[in-house]
């Protein structure tokens, strides 16, 4: 968008009069209420080439993101990785003319002495359905002030008080096919990747005629034909298209009732977009005309996505392909503006949304789709016991990555209920089988809409056993890479279950953090008391004293991978037992589902098992992400293979955990405090010779590049302006020297590792040799 700004000569004169030196820098990447594109104007998902203003708004035919509060949160990023900020000034104007003159007639914060990158609006009351403009400048030193940023426009929704959170509108982007193959009167078209899309084709006919069009997610191996029997929930659609004489564009109408489990919880597509269908391939049969790439347009639908926000490459080509698969999955599955379980149901589920949230944050610094999904799930819960607890983890990561406490503050009481403390007995452990699931409990959880199926049921993993009907050859269903049918490693369900209570313990610890930050002191003490009691009882009930491993339940000696990996990841394994637990869960291979892999990989990376975790992510086995690629999917699948879940779909974001694991655990980039002005960089690249990552946080872009050879380790890092990083690196022997930007450091090593605290923004080279 083109805007007119205060002429440079006026700005320079102002700086000279005020005794300041101009370096022509200013804040970038402004967000309004977490939205990056509050000034977007669209029509049926297509961006319009004009600026948002009151006149455009009054036409009332365009899609414009609307802010759902009269006191929006403003965020910004410093323009340069070397910059620091000691103060800022925000102005909010009622017109672009006033904004260009740097006049904040609605709010002028004045010079605020703060290093924060965010501020809540504090000016005159804002009206609804009116375009406003905000901008900001900051001081790096008392005598060095930046220019004002470019203005960011925004509009307050007339229904701002309905309890929604600000969200962007869906985008529609046109693509031409990557391949067209002609065979006589037939055409085979490949778009390279699957997407949720619309389809239009320009066709020419000398008479009124008809052709057959087949559309699908899969092709027949080694043949240029769309697979017409790909599986129950793998999409295929065939239709007859009547052609009129001459040349015309034809838009394909999708089936009214696809093979989908439709119910009241399904997320509907907005009217300005209409229905979409997931496909990669198109086949046109019996067409006599010529077809070129410009004649066939697939319009992909997705939420706002910044392709340049992240990148990854390493010395392992398989791992690189897995990253690409998982990153693209975040974009492709955002098609309806919520985190849904894929096309099979299009319903938000808490565990799906949790993995989707973390992976989305890792590949793109976009937070509003997660927040909308969190709000939906609080009041539309699903049936598994563990899924209820994921509400708490999602709320915590929303706060940690955004620094915005409005969600946890508004729904604090709801989150307390989601701890499932109502199910705890005198031991401190929780169970769904002790008679504590009452009507009052269901009402508090907002589960009364489930009718007769209100009860929570422990899930552990999914699917749990051989599908109904099964296979004549059970060994074929299990395969050679695991011991038991289903995805829960033969888990023995008991009155008290180790998996459920490990997650319960972890969520109580998170609730203590939330209570502390919301100044709920008494609650924080209670949560601490609760989880300390749970830990004692947990080990007493589930840990085998002879091996240190975790049993599935109170009256079984069976030790599943799941019981041990959940206990490990959520911090329940005593330090002296960690090595044997890591060894045990590693020995089980990938005995969990794509969902369980999130917990498995986190536990391994955080407890000395990074080599094995990387091997799992880069494996070529059937139970691997590479198998999804080999199978022909370009979006992460619902299960490792159709063998393990015959009704799987090919567009399930919960199968994309490496997207967040590579960023958060392997490359080790995570916020240390809410808002990511303090971050951790702790790469654990195993036996890789090199790995390079770019990821984006709300505070700016982070680049981490690692190389290692012959017991030497080199880290190149770029830290965003105004951000401090704790950097942790491996030390191979006590004779090695540490160099930072070419100078030897005199530093004490900790447990065979280097820990540099509060490294300032900018580019740094650290060498251990």
């Amino acid at each position: 968008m083109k805007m007119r700004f205060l002429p440079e000569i006026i700005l320079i004169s102002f700086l000279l009069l005020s005794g300041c030196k101009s370096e022509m820098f200013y804040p970038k990447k402004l967000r309004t209420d977490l939205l990056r594109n509050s000034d977007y104007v669209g029509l049926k998902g297509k961006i319009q080439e004009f600026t948002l203003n009151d006149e455009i708004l009054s036409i009332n035919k365009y899609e414009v993101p609307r802010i759902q509060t009269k006191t929006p949160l403003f965020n910004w990023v410093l323009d340069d990785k070397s910059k620091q900020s000691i103060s800022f000034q925000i102005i909010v104007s009622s017109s672009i003319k006033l904004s260009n003159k740097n006049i904040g007639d609605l709010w002028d914060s004045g010079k605020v002495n703060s290093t924060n990158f965010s501020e809540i609006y504090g000016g005159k009351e804002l009206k609804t359905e009116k375009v406003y403009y905000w901008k900001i400048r900051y001081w790096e030193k008392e005598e060095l002030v930046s220019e004002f940023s470019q203005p960011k426009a925004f509009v307050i929704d007339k229904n701002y008080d309905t309890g929604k959170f600000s969200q962007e509108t869906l985008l529609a982007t046109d693509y031409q096919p990557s391949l067209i193959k002609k065979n006589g009167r037939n055409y085979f078209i490949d778009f390279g990747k699957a997407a949720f899309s619309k389809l239009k084709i320009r066709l020419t006919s000398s008479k009124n005629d008809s052709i057959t069009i087949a559309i699908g997610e899969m092709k027949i191996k080694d043949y240029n034909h769309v697979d017409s029997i790909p599986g129950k929930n793998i999409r295929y659609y065939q239709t007859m298209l009547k052609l009129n004489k001459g040349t015309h564009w034809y838009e394909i109408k999708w089936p009214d009732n696809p093979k989908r489990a439709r119910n009241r919880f399904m997320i509907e597509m907005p009217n300005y977009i209409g229905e979409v269908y997931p496909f990669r391939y198109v086949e046109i049969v019996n067409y006599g005309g010529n077809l070129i790439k410009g004649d066939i347009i697939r319009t992909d639908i997705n939420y706002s996505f910044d392709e340049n926000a992240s990148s990854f490459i390493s010395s392992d080509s398989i791992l690189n392909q897995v990253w690409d698969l998982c990153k693209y999955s975040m974009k492709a599955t955002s098609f309806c503006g919520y985190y849904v379980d894929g096309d099979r149901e299009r319903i938000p589920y808490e565990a799906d949304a949790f993995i989707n949230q973390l992976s989305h944050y890792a590949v793109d610094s976009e937070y509003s789709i997660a927040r909308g999904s969190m709000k939906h799930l609080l009041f539309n819960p699903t049936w598994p016991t563990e899924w209820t607890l994921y509400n708490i983890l999602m709320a915590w990561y929303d706060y940690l990555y955004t620094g915005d406490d409005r969600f946890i503050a508004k729904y604090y009481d709801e989150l307390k209920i989601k701890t499932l403390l109502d199910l705890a007995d005198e031991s401190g452990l929780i169970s769904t089988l002790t008679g504590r699931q009452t009507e009052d409990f269901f009402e508090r959880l907002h589960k009364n809409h489930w009718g007769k199926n209100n009860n929570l049921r422990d899930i552990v993993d999914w699917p749990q056993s051989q599908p109904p009907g099964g296979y004549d050859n059970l060994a074929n269903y299990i395969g050679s890479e695991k011991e038991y049918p289903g995805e829960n490693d033969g888990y023995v369900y008991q009155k008290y279950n180790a998996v459920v209570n490990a997650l319960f313990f972890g969520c109580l610890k998170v609730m203590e953090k939330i209570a502390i930050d919301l100044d709920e002191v008494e609650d924080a003490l209670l949560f601490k008391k609760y989880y300390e009691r749970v830990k004692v009882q947990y080990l007493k009930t589930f840990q085998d004293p002879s091996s240190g491993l975790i049993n599935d339940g109170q009256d079984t000696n069976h030790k599943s991978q799941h019981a041990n990996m959940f206990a490990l990841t959520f911090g329940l394994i005593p330090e002296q037992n960690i090595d044997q637990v890591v060894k045990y869960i590693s020995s089980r291979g990938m005995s969990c589902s794509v969902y369980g892999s999130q917990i498995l990989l986190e536990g391994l990376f955080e407890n000395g098992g990074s080599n094995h975790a990387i091997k799992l992510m880069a494996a070529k086995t059937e139970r691997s992400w590479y198998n999804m690629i080999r199978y022909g999917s370009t979006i992460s699948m619902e299960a490792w293979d159709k063998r393990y879940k015959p009704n799987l779909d090919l567009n399930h974001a919960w199968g994309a955990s490496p997207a967040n694991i590579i960023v958060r655990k392997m490359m080790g980039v995570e916020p240390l405090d809410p808002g990511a002005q303090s971050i951790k960089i702790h790469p654990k690249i195993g036996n890789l010779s090199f790995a390079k990552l770019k990821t984006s946080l709300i505070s700016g872009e982070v680049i981490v590049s690692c190389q290692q050879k012959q017991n030497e380790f080199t880290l190149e890092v770029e830290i965003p302006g105004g951000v401090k990083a704790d950097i942790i690196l491996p030390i191979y022997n006590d004779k090695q020297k540490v160099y930072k930007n070419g100078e030897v450091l005199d530093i004490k090593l900790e447990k065979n590792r280097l820990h540099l605290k509060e490294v300032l923004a900018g580019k740094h080279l650290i060498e251990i040799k």
Side-chain angles (χ1 to χ4, degrees):
M1 297 182 183
K2 294 183 179 179
M3 298 283 191
R4 292 183 295 111
F5 295 98
L6 189 65
E8 183 178 313
I9 188 169
I10 297 177
L11 177 63
I12 293 173
S13 298
F14 167 77
L15 293 170
L16 290 172
L17 288 171
S18 62
C20 298
K21 178 183 177 182
S22 172
E23 292 193 358
M24 309 306 289
F25 58 95
Y26 57 92
K28 306 282 181 63
K29 299 183 179 179
L30 275 59
R31 298 174 188 255
T32 313
D33 224 45
L34 298 181
L35 302 188
R36 294 181 296 199
N37 303 297
S38 62
D39 51 0
Y40 166 84
V41 180
L43 183 61
K44 295 184 178 180
K46 302 289 182 68
I47 188 169
Q48 303 300 294
E49 296 300 324
F50 41 73
T51 302
L52 175 62
N53 56 49
D54 288 327
E55 182 180 355
I56 293 299
L57 193 64
S58 67
I59 297 174
N60 200 31
K61 75 172 185 178
Y62 299 105
E63 297 109 43
V64 175
R66 282 168 163 80
I67 304 303
Q68 300 297 323
T69 174
K70 285 193 171 183
T71 55
L73 177 71
F74 299 132
N75 288 86
W76 59 93
V77 172
L78 303 190
D79 75 309
D80 188 283
K81 287 186 171 65
S82 66
K83 300 297 183 185
Q84 302 292 325
S85 173
I86 61 169
S87 306
F88 62 81
Q89 179 188 8
I90 296 174
I91 62 170
V92 179
S93 309
S94 59
S95 70
I96 189 62
K97 184 176 180 180
L98 290 172
S99 182
N100 287 341
K101 293 180 179 179
N102 296 335
I103 297 174
D105 59 319
L106 296 168
W107 187 40
D108 185 335
S109 71
K111 186 177 180 182
V112 179
N113 294 323
S114 172
T115 59
N116 289 342
F117 300 158
S118 65
E119 183 74 1
I120 291 282
Y121 175 76
K124 299 176 183 177
E125 183 177 1
L126 300 176
K127 298 178 181 179
T128 64
E129 301 304 313
K130 167 79 176 71
V131 178
Y132 296 110
Y133 306 84
W134 79 276
K135 63 200 310 188
I136 179 173
R137 63 176 177 170
Y138 68 92
W139 282 258
E140 186 178 14
K141 301 175 183 177
E142 287 297 334
E143 72 281 2
L144 186 59
V145 60
S146 77
E147 295 182 80
F148 271 105
S149 67
Q150 297 181 16
K152 176 70 76 172
F154 67 95
V155 178
I156 309 295
D157 189 7
K158 64 181 178 181
N159 299 314
Y160 71 92
D161 57 352
T162 57
K164 294 192 297 183
F165 285 93
S166 301
Q167 290 193 280
E168 302 199 18
T169 59
L170 296 178
L171 306 178
T173 308
D174 291 344
Y175 293 94
Q176 296 179 7
S178 57
L179 173 72
I180 295 180
K181 284 281 188 179
K182 184 178 181 181
N183 183 13
R185 292 174 61 88
N186 301 335
Y187 285 89
F188 177 79
I189 297 117
D190 182 3
F191 282 91
K193 291 182 179 181
F196 286 83
S197 311
K198 295 173 169 292
L199 179 65
K200 62 181 182 180
I201 310 173
R202 182 167 54 193
L203 300 167
T204 300
S205 180
S206 60
K207 60 181 180 178
N208 293 332
D209 202 354
S210 63
I211 60 171
T212 298
I213 296 181
I215 298 151
E217 292 182 279
M218 297 290 291
K219 68 183 286 287
I220 298 174
K221 187 177 181 180
D222 299 327
Y223 293 92
N224 289 328
H225 294 290
V226 180
D227 191 344
S228 61
I229 49 173
K232 184 176 180 180
N233 290 297
I234 301 173
R235 299 305 180 207
Y236 172 81
Y237 176 54
Q238 179 178 301
T239 186
M240 186 76 71
L241 185 63
K242 292 183 179 180
L243 302 184
N244 298 319
K245 185 178 180 179
T247 300
H248 304 278
W249 281 101
Y250 299 87
E251 183 167 347
I252 307 303
K253 183 180 179 182
W254 300 126
D256 293 330
N257 188 25
K259 296 179 290 183
R260 186 183 304 125
R262 299 184 68 89
N263 61 57
R264 64 186 292 263
F265 303 111
M266 192 185 86
I267 302 296
E268 301 283 354
M269 295 298 296
N271 291 334
Y272 66 88
I273 293 293
E275 193 49 79
V276 293
Y277 199 75
F279 69 95
R280 172 178 173 177
Y281 303 105
V282 178
E283 192 173 351
I284 299 176
V285 179
N286 197 32
Y287 176 56
N290 292 319
L291 197 67
I292 61 175
K293 287 185 177 182
D295 291 330
I296 182 164
I297 302 296
R298 189 180 74 176
T299 303
D300 295 359
I301 307 300
N302 57 269
Y303 205 75
S304 168
F305 192 87
D306 182 1
E307 297 280 2
N308 297 316
S310 67
S311 61
F312 173 78
I313 191 168
S314 74
S315 54
D316 191 307
S317 62
I318 300 299
L319 191 61
N320 299 341
Q321 293 177 64
V322 169
W323 163 266
D324 290 339
L325 170 78
C326 295
K327 175 181 175 177
Y328 177 69
S329 298
M330 296 303 104
K331 178 181 180 180
T333 59
S334 69
F335 67 96
C336 69
Y338 287 83
Y339 292 153
V340 295
D341 73 326
D343 196 47
R344 185 165 61 83
E345 294 180 284
R346 293 196 188 178
I347 295 172
Y349 283 88
E350 294 89 341
D352 300 61
F354 169 67
I355 297 172
N356 205 333
Q357 173 196 33
L358 288 180
S359 293
H360 196 173
Y361 289 0
V363 302
D364 187 16
S365 56
E366 203 297 308
Y367 309 105
S368 59
I369 189 173
R371 186 163 283 193
S373 302
M374 288 158 51
K375 164 69 184 304
H376 173 89
L377 286 164
L378 277 180
F379 298 97
N380 297 277
T382 59
W383 60 267
T385 310
E386 296 97 307
W387 278 205
T388 298
L389 293 161
Y390 280 113
N391 285 278
I392 295 166
L393 298 184
M394 286 193 73
W396 170 251
Y397 282 108
D398 169 82
Y399 174 48
L400 183 63
Y401 274 81
T402 67
D404 179 11
D405 67 359
R406 289 176 298 168
F407 189 95
I408 58 172
K410 182 172 184 176
Y411 294 114
Y412 178 68
D413 289 338
E414 293 289 341
L415 294 173
K416 288 169 66 175
I417 295 165
K418 301 293 184 179
T419 62
L420 297 183
L421 277 166
D422 286 352
L423 298 182
D425 60 18
E426 58 279 358
S427 70
L429 301 178
I430 62 172
S431 172
T432 58
L433 303 176
T434 54
R436 287 175 168 80
Q437 296 202 66
T438 64
E439 288 300 319
D440 177 64
F441 172 68
F442 298 146
E443 184 173 351
R444 282 157 53 80
L445 280 182
H446 307 290
K447 279 186 60 65
N448 283 332
H449 53 244
W450 284 92
K452 294 181 180 180
N453 295 317
N454 275 340
N455 281 23
L456 293 175
R457 288 163 282 159
D458 299 355
I459 191 169
V460 176
D461 211 334
W462 191 260
Q464 293 177 325
S465 60
Q466 184 183 5
Y471 292 90
D472 294 334
N473 184 356
L474 186 58
N476 181 59
Y477 169 62
I478 297 174
S480 61
E481 297 174 15
K482 63 174 182 170
E483 182 179 356
Y484 299 98
E487 295 289 4
N488 57 17
D489 197 30
Y491 193 90
V492 178
Y493 289 82
Q494 298 274 285
K495 181 177 179 180
Y496 298 99
N497 284 314
V499 164
V500 175
N501 278 282
L503 189 50
F504 172 58
F505 169 80
C507 287
L508 290 176
K509 294 193 74 173
V510 167
M511 282 302 297
E512 179 196 24
K513 295 179 184 179
I514 290 174
I516 290 171
D517 280 19
L518 293 180
D519 203 27
E520 298 285 350
V521 179
E522 290 186 11
D523 281 356
L525 292 173
L526 284 174
F527 287 128
K528 181 177 175 62
K529 177 182 177 181
Y530 290 148
Y531 72 67
E532 287 177 343
R533 183 172 64 170
V534 169
K535 184 169 186 177
V536 171
Q537 191 64 33
Y538 188 95
L539 295 173
K540 180 180 178 181
T541 304
F542 302 117
Q543 188 175 41
D544 183 336
S546 63
S547 66
L549 301 178
I550 304 298
N551 297 323
D552 296 347
Q554 82 281 2
D555 292 323
T556 179
N557 290 323
H558 186 265
K559 298 169 178 62
S560 64
Q561 184 180 58
H562 296 69
N564 285 275
M565 72 189 190
F566 270 85
L568 182 70
T569 297
F570 288 102
L572 281 159
I573 303 297
E575 187 173 355
Q576 66 269 22
N577 301 126
I578 287 177
D579 288 347
Q580 56 258 51
V581 170
V582 168
K583 183 178 180 181
Y584 180 74
I585 64 175
S586 298
S587 73
R588 306 298 295 168
M590 190 64 82
S591 293
C592 57
S593 77
V594 296
Y595 150 70
S597 70
Q598 173 72 38
I599 308 301
L600 172 62
L601 294 172
E602 283 212 32
L604 288 172
F605 271 111
E606 288 298 312
N607 293 279
S610 56
N611 283 345
H612 183 65
I614 293 170
K615 288 178 181 178
L616 289 176
M617 289 195 293
K620 293 184 179 180
T621 57
E622 187 176 64
R623 300 176 64 78
S624 71
W625 287 275
Y626 185 73
N627 188 58
M628 299 181 189
I629 298 169
R630 184 168 52 211
Y631 189 79
S633 188
T634 55
I635 305 173
S636 56
M637 291 162 43
E638 186 178 5
W640 298 120
D641 192 88
K642 194 159 63 172
R643 177 209 296 264
Y644 306 113
K645 198 173 193 301
N647 69 336
L648 61 71
D649 64 28
L650 301 188
N651 38 65
H652 236 76
W654 86 335
S657 60
N660 80 80
I661 293 294
I662 287 172
V663 173
R664 298 171 52 243
K665 301 303 175 184
M666 193 185 98
M667 302 304 287
V669 180
E670 292 186 276
L672 284 176
D673 60 9
Q677 284 190 242
S678 176
I679 65 173
K680 178 174 71 174
I681 300 174
H682 185 186
K684 310 180 191 78
I685 66 170
N687 294 321
L688 299 175
S689 60
F690 77 89
K692 182 175 183 179
L693 169 78
K694 177 173 72 173
T695 189
S696 295
L697 300 165
I698 199 167
S699 54
E701 182 183 279
V702 181
I703 297 177
V704 179
S705 180
C706 304
Q707 293 189 48
Q708 58 181 354
K709 61 179 180 179
Q710 297 178 341
N711 290 338
E712 294 183 2
F713 193 95
T714 300
L715 172 74
E716 294 181 77
V717 63
E718 295 184 31
I719 303 168
V723 173
K724 295 179 181 179
D726 275 17
I727 298 176
I728 304 173
L729 299 175
I731 295 292
Y732 298 106
N733 62 71
D734 57 9
K735 295 181 180 179
Q736 289 182 305
K737 292 183 178 181
V738 179
Y739 300 81
K740 181 183 176 186
N741 300 327
E743 297 184 1
V744 178
L745 294 182
D746 182 14
I747 189 169
K748 183 179 179 181
L749 305 181
E750 301 177 5
K751 299 180 179 179
N752 293 323
R753 67 181 192 178
L754 168 69
H755 189 176
L756 301 177
K757 298 181 179 180
E758 296 191 340
V759 178
L760 296 179
K763 297 181 180 180
H764 301 279
L765 172 65
I766 301 171
E767 300 167 283
I768 301 171
K769 56 187 179 179

